Amino acid sequence: MALGERGGWDKSESRYCGVETDFDDDMPQLLSLNLSSGGFDFVVATLMDPNYRPSLMEKDIGGGSHGLPFAGSDLVLSPSQWSSHVVGKISSWIDLDSEDEILRMDSETNLKQEISWASHLSLQACLLPSPKGASCANYARCVNQILQSLNNMQLWLRIPLVKNDDDTMDFIPSGDSWELWNSFRLLCEHHSQLSVALDVLSSLPSANSLGRWFGEPVRAAIIHTDSFLTNARGYPCLSRRHQKLITGFLNHSIQVVISGKLNHGVPSVSLDSALDHTGTNVESSQRHSLRPYLDYIAYLYQRMDPLPEQERFELSYRDFLQSPLQPLMDNLEAQTYETFEKDSVKYIQYQRAIGNALVDRVPDEEASSLTTVLMVVGAGRGPLVRASLQAAEETGRKLKIYAVEKNPNAVVTLHSLVRLEGWEKMVTIVSCDMRCWDAPEKADILVSELLGSFGDNELSPECLDGAQRFLKQDGISIPSSYTSFIQPVTASKLHNDVKSHKDVVHFETAYVVKVHSVARLAPCEPVFTFTHPNFSTKKSNQRYKKLRFEIPSDTGSAMVHGFAGYFDAMLYKDVHLGIEPSTATPNMFSWFAIFFPLRTPVCIRPGSPLEVHFWRCCGSTKVWYEWCVASPNPSPVHNSNGRSYWVGL
């Protein structure tokens, strides 16, 4: 690993750094120079002699059977060396959209020959040259043909990272290289094996424009030595904006590739006896000319803030689609309870809210004589019971608790907990669905943790509407209100994961997901709000909201693959709990975001607002969401009548 270790926990692809090389028919020597001596992990190597042209070969050999001029046979390296240490680089001269028919035909033949050879070598990836002009239809058509029968190899399309507002780059539509990539991937039907290798140049677009790429399938960042500055000691370094970008790439498992020649006069003292970034002495005769650039990237990698322990635990959940819980239809398993119960931050917030409610409910002068009736509805294995009793002890208030739980398995644990803690005189356990229970007395405080990733998506409104009949008219509900939020996102990986199921049902299902490789294109907007208790005689839990999102003008065009959803809950007065990014409760992990996919991604242009419609629909046996885009391009209404996804009552 050229960039070294980060505490042993970082297993991402970004640990590996590559180098772009020229054609060399001595592949063992090429690997020895760049890996053994240079310290790189892999080479991006040209596979075919750049002077080769299929049409010239046919004329020269008169249809003979000469072998193609590849960089050595497959036997010069072991299969594992080819697979682990070589990324194939397709000849840069090819132009499949050329007006010159001979060049176009040669390009198509050559592309297929090189990809076939790379596949034969079991390479993990091949780097495709950037399209030569604004039109790339034939290039994309040929690549799409190849993708239909390709093994597991990835094709990296080389795209320069540029966005010029003055349209000075004729070969890039509107001066924005994202448009070039978008045209190509649309022609290739969002194929999951087509990804991006970004050429990072000396000047960078705006932060909003760069942000788009974090939701795209970027596999590599190719940094040319021309992009490096020189520090006071004569060594290569990057500008602060470049540093931030590269660190962001490394945090998203994007590999760095160094390209170009030595452009910095590294001090001679370093060449006599230099220490590389791992502390190993490197002799000047062995030192690779691009080693200073590798060492600087390693320095950035090592300097990255270590992930908190909780984030490390969640690494395997990043961008992994999960079906939301159905807590009314299904009984939770012990492992699920245990995961949620470990979230101490959540229960600290609940304890604060309950303590504040007790103080407001019972004046100090009545604290020793007045007993507050508190009901925990959906008590699970008892964490809210414990938080309530701790709040009562802290505030010096007397408490009588009813713990209502429908899961008979959790009730067994509750009884054991009450006996173990000696709470028998304070806690009464009720094994019943809260909607059906006939309470012996009214409650002063009703406490629940029925919130889902979208606030109401685990049917908290329906449950609390059924439970509030045993809450006093002036009683307190904790939480007292909650609001759902959405924002449009570019999420290429999530889109392809949903698309892999090859049906409409999965595109009309909401997923719980630890979103990571996404681009958040606009600030969140509120969707549905519920308040408790709600004693209105005309109450309905059906909701409808029209939302309008404005994408910052300097972002450029972007692709919307769906919507990330969050919630924010007011537990009591100023004590809140939530995962909406701008106000999220720190270090809380009980909830990931929810993702609403779009069957057909929507491309939005600068200055063109995105209009979205969301519905919360209620039936006699289920609750479901419907959603659609109305502008700039209308989409179908997703999940009509809850045909694909619903939450059972």
Side-chain angles (χ1 to χ4, degrees), residues 335-445:
Q335 187 174 358
T336 306
Y337 281 122
E338 185 169 353
T339 300
F340 291 148
E341 289 164 7
K342 287 179 179 177
D343 194 343
S344 59
V345 172
K346 174 177 65 175
Y347 294 112
I348 288 170
Q349 291 297 89
Y350 265 100
Q351 187 173 322
R352 281 183 57 209
I354 295 166
N356 291 350
L358 286 172
V359 170
D360 287 351
R361 194 83 182 166
V362 181
D364 288 342
E365 57 270 19
E366 297 181 38
S368 60
S369 59
L370 197 60
T371 299
T372 301
V373 177
L374 183 147
M375 294 179 180
V376 178
V377 288
R381 303 197 308 180
L384 282 182
V385 174
R386 184 183 298 278
S388 301
L389 289 170
Q390 288 175 340
E393 185 176 352
E394 278 184 1
T395 58
R397 267 56 177 178
K398 298 176 69 176
L399 207 55
K400 179 180 182 181
I401 296 179
Y402 290 91
V404 186
E405 175 53 50
K406 75 172 183 63
N407 183 351
N409 302 310
V411 168
V412 173
T413 309
L414 263 177
H415 277 292
S416 176
L417 177 68
V418 168
R419 285 194 301 270
L420 183 67
E421 298 288 351
W423 295 340
E424 290 91 344
K425 292 183 179 179
M426 295 175 286
V427 179
T428 301
I429 297 172
V430 180
S431 182
C432 182
D433 189 319
M434 70 185 79
R435 296 171 295 174
C436 307
W437 182 43
D438 187 14
E441 59 182 318
K442 295 275 188 175
D444 297 287
I445 302 175

Side-chain angles (χ1 to χ4, degrees), residues 3 11 14 54 83 86 139 168 179 198 257-258 263 283 303 355-356 379 389 402 408 410 421 520 537 630 632:
L3 303 187
K11 307 298 182 186
S14 59
S83 176
V86 179
Y139 188 6
T168 54
E179 298 278 11
L198 286 174
V257 176
I258 304 295
N263 280 344
E283 294 297 328
R303 201 182 63 169
N356 291 350
L389 289 170
Y402 290 91
E421 298 288 351
R520 295 173 169 88
T537 56

Side-chain angles (χ1 to χ4, degrees), residues 361 373 442-444 468 470-476 533 535:
R361 194 83 182 166
V373 177
K442 295 275 188 175
D444 297 287
Q468 75 176 26
F470 42 76
L471 182 66
K472 292 177 181 177
Q473 196 68 30
D474 64 343
I476 296 168
F535 291 113

Side-chain angles (χ1 to χ4, degrees), residues 186 218 260:
L186 287 173
V218 181

Side-chain angles (χ1 to χ4, degrees), residues 185-337:
R185 63 102 169 266
L186 287 173
L187 290 163
C188 293
E189 306 172 285
H190 288 82
H191 201 286
S192 60
Q193 287 171 257
L194 178 66
S195 48
V196 183
L198 286 174
D199 259 322
V200 180
L201 308 177
S202 55
S203 67
L204 294 176
S206 70
N208 283 328
S209 177
L210 291 173
R212 295 174 297 177
W213 292 104
F214 289 100
E216 300 288 4
V218 181
R219 293 287 180 270
I222 304 172
I223 310 176
H224 201 277
T225 52
D226 289 345
S227 300
F228 286 81
L229 306 174
T230 306
N231 67 13
R233 297 173 58 207
Y235 289 96
C237 63
L238 289 171
S239 71
R240 290 194 180 277
R241 291 197 67 215
H242 279 82
Q243 290 179 42
K244 185 177 180 181
L245 178 65
I246 298 305
T247 301
F249 284 155
L250 293 173
N251 191 39
H252 282 76
S253 300
I254 296 170
Q255 297 178 319
V256 171
V257 176
I258 304 295
S259 175
K261 306 296 183 185
L262 177 65
N263 280 344
H264 294 75
V266 178
S268 58
V269 64
S270 70
L271 296 177
D272 295 333
S273 179
L275 287 179
D276 69 4
H277 61 274
T278 63
T280 306
N281 196 278
V282 183
E283 294 297 328
S284 59
S285 60
Q286 297 177 321
R287 190 165 175 82
H288 194 288
S289 63
L290 299 184
R291 189 58 179 259
Y293 304 94
L294 169 62
D295 288 344
Y296 183 78
I297 299 299
Y299 161 73
L300 292 182
Y301 177 77
Q302 295 290 342
R303 201 182 63 169
M304 289 168 62
D305 292 334
L307 283 182
E309 186 176 349
Q310 185 55 42
E311 282 284 329
R312 295 182 203 179
F313 170 75
E314 294 171 356
L315 279 174
S316 60
Y317 293 100
R318 283 181 174 178
D319 301 315
F320 178 73
L321 299 172
Q322 303 176 75
S323 297
L325 295 173
Q326 294 265 10
L328 290 189
M329 290 175 59
D330 306 327
N331 288 326
L332 301 184
E333 298 175 352
Q335 187 174 358
T336 306
Y337 281 122

